Amino acid sequence: MSECGSKGCGCAAVAMPSPKPSAVDAALPQVRYRIENMDCPTEEALIRDKLGKVPGVGSLEFNLVQRTLGVSYQLASLRPIEEALSAIGMRAVRMDEEAAQQSTVLSIQQMDCPTEEALIRGKLAGVPGVANLEFNLVQRSLQVGHTPDAFPHVLAALKSLGFDAEVLTASAPLAGEAQAPARTNWWPLVVSGVAAMLAEVVYWLNGGNHWAVVALALVAILTGGLTTYKKGWIALRNRNLNMNALMSIAVTGAMLIGHWPEAAMVMVLFALAEVIEAKSLDRARNAIRGLMDLAPDTALVQQADGSWAEMNAKTVPVCSRVRVKPGERIALDGKVVEGRSTVNQAPITGESLPVDKAEGDPVFAGTINGEGSLEFRVTAAASASTLARIIHAVEAAQGSRAPTQRFVDQFARLYTPIVFAVALVIAFLPPLVFGQPWLDWIYKALVLLVIACPCALVISTPVTIVSGLAATARRGILIKGGVYLEEGRNLKWLALDKTGTITHGKPAQTDFAAWGNTDPDASRLLAASLAARSDHPVSLAVARAAVNDGLAPRDVADFAALPGRGVRGSIDGQTYHLGNHRLVEELGMCSPTLESRVSALESEGKTVVMLIGQDGVRALFAVADTVKDSSRQAIAELHSLGIKAIMLTGDNPHTATAIASQVGIDRSRGNLLPEDKLREVEQLSADGKTGMVGDGINDAPALARADIGFAMGAAGTDTAIETADVALMDDDLRKLPTFVRLSRATASILKQNIALALGIKAVFLILTFTGQATMWMAVFADMGASLLVVGNGLRLLRR
């Protein structure tokens, strides 16, 4: 965002009028561009001035609300217009090409830290047709949105920066694919280190500079620092003051003022620290790679002739029959068709105990079969398995900027040029104004240049966030972005659905009573016929009880679900309703006697539904659900973390109160429709950060409105994984306090890293002004700080 946009000048909300095109301009062809970083009249004036100097450009039509620009032109090619826009940093995409936008994922193995990211971002911002960039430093990948004809220019721009980019895919990265870390060539570094130490020894023995000192220093710098010089020159050529540019200037300056041994040692330490930092970052990469390695590469698949053969898991078609032996990892998602066993689902759901599997049960790629043999029918390709979606979601979350990371990035963009400017003042002002020795103050300025790089500060946030995301994924908690990982620590309220969330979601019919002078068996049959058409747990309990007693449901015509109330249908030409107390009242069929009977059942924590015919209520059915033991423990842990809970349910208030008291929930609300749940969440959000826990579909409005939406039991559910902010891969509510604890640990480590990085910088700034800091000390401290914050961030993987 531009400076004026970031300051909230308010102009982005106003469409500024453009001059009316002349009759000549009206006859010219026009092209329209979408410019995402055109926020207010500051950019408009800049664009108008730049394009006004391009021969052949006619009128300009600006729409700042839609961020679009219309250009009338009399040119053989649009390239001059697009080059002019790129020259002033405007990311312009032709709207007629926007629909044809492509997204290409590139693997860039030399892209290790934010230094390279900033360089690439600055370079590609000036390439016409590039719409957006999504960096993943942990996976060393870059996703580029571009027009079809822009891609060669993207590759050329990367090549000019010294990066070799390999195309992974034309859309999105294939989950489960990863590249091994590049091997380190150690011998130049060893030669450089030995030469630098010999230069120090010769300098000490000779009592000063000597031709051998200069020669050894040059050997050290050339063998260990050529890559740094090359990267530094590229950065300077692109007007980017990154670490390589600053280090190149500092080392060159040290040589020019005669500090040969120190220049050599600084370059060696910098090269060594870069290698160690890259190795440390590989640990974060391995956290994701460990998820990828969960699923085996091959599967035992039944062939057309009935025989069994090993196949590459990526090539196994959906609906194939796969056999998994005892103790083996399952390669693909599927549904069991033969055999019984227990499966360790901890890699996917985080469940500590194995789960029994029999015919009809789902199995997931990456899980471990127990002592029995299973055969299952494949339900998803390897690239679309639950494990693959988890990996893809974690990778996508890495690309999004968490609040702390955005702050750090903005701070770094200001910090480096400011320190660089201070270094220039230090180098020239004291000698020119106060007559101080030139060499002493130039040396201090060179030390400041080493300190000017914010690498330790910038790298601390993505490593910590990625470690937190990987740590939660290992526990069956899938977080869709760093922003939710950070916000989790601020939760004040958690709103929870009842059925399937707090309770098991498999209620059973406990009571039945015919009402009035109706036939009990006929009423049960009618109710079961309506209930069998519904997927609500209460209806299913009524239908299941009838089937168990040998009653076969009848055909239902004109069936309709009544959200929050019940169902309606026609049987033998008569219309019947099966629903709750709210529905009975709306139909005007309630009476004091019925109220009393319903209240008595509801006071016992039971849910009551009634069969209603044209002549009134015909029967009552009471259904009860059981509370999960894990729910009680989860609520207790949330209370210990200072988080309050409220239950929002469509069931009656008596049932809600009874269940809430069993679990220890602070408040409960019953008889709620989806819009009522939304309203409750809105009210809670006024008191602080609020989370909503539901199944990801029925509670969609409340989940969307909450600050963080939690989907329960998301394993194998495409919708929940795709739409939830946080997906709990099983139905264990104890994952909620685990999420909060990890969120707080992540926030704590982020603060520690920022304080550590800034504290070391501050100390060396003071030491520089007092004349006690040397260049090799500064580079050692700077890169040492980078290693410290990386190591500190990786602690989350061990929690």
Side-chain angles (χ1 to χ4, degrees):
M1 183 177 285
S2 68
E3 183 181 356
C4 62
S6 65
K7 291 180 180 178
C9 62
C11 54
V14 181
M16 303 300 292
S18 297
K20 186 176 179 180
S22 66
V24 175
D25 288 338
L28 295 176
Q30 188 185 65
V31 62
R32 297 195 69 80
Y33 292 95
R34 186 180 304 280
I35 306 176
E36 289 301 324
N37 56 337
M38 182 178 70
D39 285 317
C40 67
T42 302
E43 285 93 1
E44 178 182 337
L46 184 64
I47 295 169
R48 194 181 295 280
D49 178 66
K50 187 70 175 179
L51 292 184
K53 299 173 183 177
V54 177
V57 170
S59 64
L60 304 176
E61 295 181 14
F62 290 87
N63 186 327
L64 295 179
V65 173
Q66 300 297 327
R67 292 190 174 100
T68 62
L69 166 65
V71 184
S72 298
Y73 64 95
Q74 193 171 13
L75 297 164
S77 167
L78 295 174
R79 191 163 186 81
I81 297 173
E82 292 168 359
E83 287 179 347
L85 291 171
S86 296
I88 55 176
M90 294 292 116
R91 297 191 295 274
V93 180
R94 280 176 55 183
M95 295 182 68
D96 59 341
E97 292 180 344
E98 196 170 26
Q101 276 280 319
Q102 295 179 355
S103 182
T104 305
V105 179
L106 301 172
S107 171
I108 306 175
Q109 290 302 300
Q110 303 102 315
M111 184 175 68
D112 275 318
C113 75
T115 299
E116 286 89 5
E117 177 185 336
L119 187 61
I120 294 171
R121 192 182 293 277
K123 186 70 175 181
L124 294 186
V127 176
V130 173
N132 57 74
L133 304 172
E134 292 183 14
F135 289 84
N136 188 327
L137 293 180
V138 175
Q139 298 302 102
R140 294 191 181 102
S141 67
L142 166 63
Q143 186 167 335
V144 185
H146 59 88
T147 55
D149 60 343
F151 188 61
H153 303 294
V154 170
L155 293 179
L158 292 172
K159 192 71 175 176
S160 71
L161 298 176
F163 295 116
D164 298 320
E166 178 186 349
V167 178
L168 290 181
T169 169
S171 55
L174 292 176
E177 292 187 0
Q179 296 200 10
R183 295 177 62 87
T184 302
N185 190 2
W186 289 99
W187 75 261
L189 190 57
V190 172
V191 171
S192 180
V194 171
M197 285 187 286
L198 288 175
E200 290 277 7
V201 171
V202 174
Y203 182 90
W204 179 73
L205 292 175
N206 191 62
N209 279 328
H210 183 267
W211 68 265
V213 174
V214 176
L216 288 168
L218 286 173
V219 169
I221 292 169
L222 291 176
T223 53
L226 271 183
T227 301
T228 301
Y229 266 115
K230 180 182 176 183
K231 292 179 179 178
W233 168 244
I234 291 171
L236 289 172
R237 197 175 63 201
N238 288 276
R239 299 184 296 278
N240 187 296
L241 287 174
N242 66 20
M243 186 60 179
N244 294 299
L246 296 173
M247 195 58 60
S248 299
I249 295 171
V251 171
T252 303
M255 290 190 292
L256 292 175
I257 63 176
H259 288 250
W260 290 95
E262 194 163 4
M265 190 58 71
V266 165
M267 188 61 81
V268 171
L269 287 172
F270 178 70
L272 177 62
E274 275 203 317
V275 171
I276 297 173
E277 183 181 300
K279 296 295 182 184
S280 299
L281 285 171
D282 277 336
R283 287 200 59 193
R285 296 183 179 101
N286 289 336
I288 307 302
R289 194 172 292 118
L291 290 175
M292 298 173 178
D293 293 340
L294 287 175
D297 296 328
T298 61
L300 187 61
V301 184
Q302 189 177 41
Q303 307 301 301
D305 59 1
S307 62
W308 296 84
E310 291 277 349
M311 288 181 61
N312 188 319
K314 295 179 182 178
T315 64
V316 176
V318 175
C319 294
S320 298
R321 188 168 177 135
V322 175
R323 177 181 293 168
V324 57
K325 299 175 183 177
E328 289 185 341
R329 282 190 180 271
I330 297 172
L332 298 151
D333 283 7
K335 184 168 286 188
V336 177
V337 293
E338 187 177 328
R340 298 184 68 90
S341 184
T342 57
V343 174
N344 179 358
Q345 297 189 157
I348 299 296
T349 66
E351 292 171 285
S352 57
L353 297 176
V355 179
D356 291 331
K357 298 292 182 181
E359 186 175 340
D361 290 332
V363 291
F364 305 113
T367 57
I368 306 166
N369 187 27
E371 298 179 353
S373 179
L374 291 175
E375 292 183 16
F376 63 89
R377 190 76 64 187
V378 177
T379 56
S383 60
S385 68
T386 300
L387 177 62
R389 292 198 304 274
I390 291 172
I391 295 168
H392 180 69
V394 173
E395 289 179 341
Q398 295 170 27
S400 62
R401 288 287 196 269
T404 301
Q405 192 169 353
R406 289 196 296 270
F407 162 76
V408 167
D409 289 346
Q410 292 167 359
F411 176 83
R413 280 195 289 270
L414 295 173
Y415 170 81
T416 302
I418 288 173
V419 176
F420 186 79
V422 171
L424 290 177
V425 172
I426 291 294
F428 293 103
L429 187 63
L432 289 174
V433 177
F434 302 107
Q436 297 293 315
W438 278 94
L439 293 184
D440 290 348
W441 287 95
I442 289 175
Y443 182 80
K444 289 180 180 181
L446 295 176
V447 175
L448 274 180
L449 289 184
V450 176
I451 299 172
C453 181
C455 198
L457 179 64
V458 176
I459 197 65
S460 65
T461 48
V463 169
T464 304
I465 294 296
V466 168
S467 298
L469 294 172
T472 53
R474 287 178 178 179
R475 288 155 180 79
I477 306 169
L478 182 58
I479 304 174
K480 299 298 288 294
V483 61
Y484 306 115
L485 181 60
E486 282 201 46
E487 288 295 331
R489 67 189 175 93
N490 296 319
L491 285 175
K492 299 297 182 186
W493 280 95
L494 267 175
L496 303 101
D497 183 33
K498 180 182 76 69
T499 306
T501 301
I502 297 171
T503 64
H504 285 100
K506 295 180 180 179
Q509 181 178 309
T510 57
D511 297 84
F512 164 72
W515 196 254
N517 298 319
T518 58
D519 179 10
D521 291 337
S523 295
R524 286 196 68 191
L525 182 59
L526 292 169
S529 301
L530 291 170
R533 294 289 302 274
S534 172
D535 58 359
H536 193 281
V538 173
S539 295
L540 293 176
V542 173
R544 191 163 50 245
V547 170
N548 291 341
D549 289 343
L551 298 177
R554 296 164 64 178
D555 292 335
V556 179
D558 301 325
F559 179 84
L562 308 174
R565 299 167 180 82
V567 296
R568 180 185 64 226
S570 179
I571 303 174
D572 295 334
Q574 298 290 320
T575 299
Y576 296 94
H577 292 78
L578 181 68
N580 56 20
H581 192 189
R582 179 196 290 262
L583 180 61
V584 175
E585 288 184 334
E586 289 182 357
L587 294 174
M589 302 291 186
C590 210
S591 67
T593 308
L594 183 63
E595 287 266 9
S596 176
R597 184 65 183 274
V598 169
S599 296
L601 290 169
E602 290 179 345
S603 65
E604 299 173 12
K606 299 174 181 178
T607 299
V608 180
V609 293
M610 286 155 276
L611 175 69
I612 308 134
Q614 293 178 344
D615 53 349
V617 174
R618 298 174 59 93
L620 287 80
F621 300 83
V623 172
D625 198 356
T626 55
V627 173
K628 303 174 188 174
D629 291 335
S630 60
S631 298
R632 297 186 181 91
Q633 185 179 342
I635 298 302
E637 290 183 29
L638 288 171
H639 284 160
S640 69
L641 293 169
I643 299 173
K644 296 180 180 180
I646 181 172
M647 185 171 68
L648 307 178
T649 178
D651 278 349
N652 64 81
H654 296 294
T655 301
T657 302
I659 296 295
S661 63
Q662 291 180 46
V663 180
I665 287 177
D666 301 278
R667 299 183 194 171
S668 63
R669 299 286 186 273
N671 278 346
L672 298 182
L673 299 173
E675 55 267 30
D676 299 324
K677 292 184 180 182
L678 172 62
R679 188 162 51 251
E680 290 286 343
V681 169
E682 287 177 340
Q683 292 174 358
L684 289 172
S685 296
D687 296 333
K689 296 290 182 182
T690 301
M692 173 67 194
V693 188
D695 61 12
I697 301 172
N698 296 334
D699 300 309
L703 285 166
R705 174 60 183 85
D707 296 294
I708 303 179
F710 297 85
M712 292 286 292
T717 306
D718 294 356
T719 304
I721 291 179
E722 294 300 325
T723 60
D725 300 326
V726 179
L728 309 182
M729 302 309 289
D730 64 5
D731 294 323
D732 192 340
L733 280 178
R734 288 174 294 188
K735 284 183 168 51
L736 293 171
T738 299
F739 163 77
V740 174
R741 283 192 289 267
L742 276 167
S743 174
R744 294 182 179 180
T746 301
S748 175
I749 289 178
L750 282 173
K751 291 176 182 176
Q752 292 169 18
N753 281 346
I754 292 172
L756 188 64
L758 291 179
I760 291 175
K761 297 286 183 186
V763 167
F764 268 83
L765 282 171
I766 295 170
L767 291 177
T768 300
F769 287 117
T770 59
Q772 296 173 279
T774 61
M775 282 181 60
W776 72 266
M777 289 169 59
V779 71
F780 189 78
D782 182 80
M783 302 311 293
S786 295
L787 298 179
L788 285 174
V789 297
V790 168
N792 195 33
L794 291 173
R795 285 196 302 120
L796 284 169
L797 294 174
R798 299 194 299 271
R799 289 188 67 89

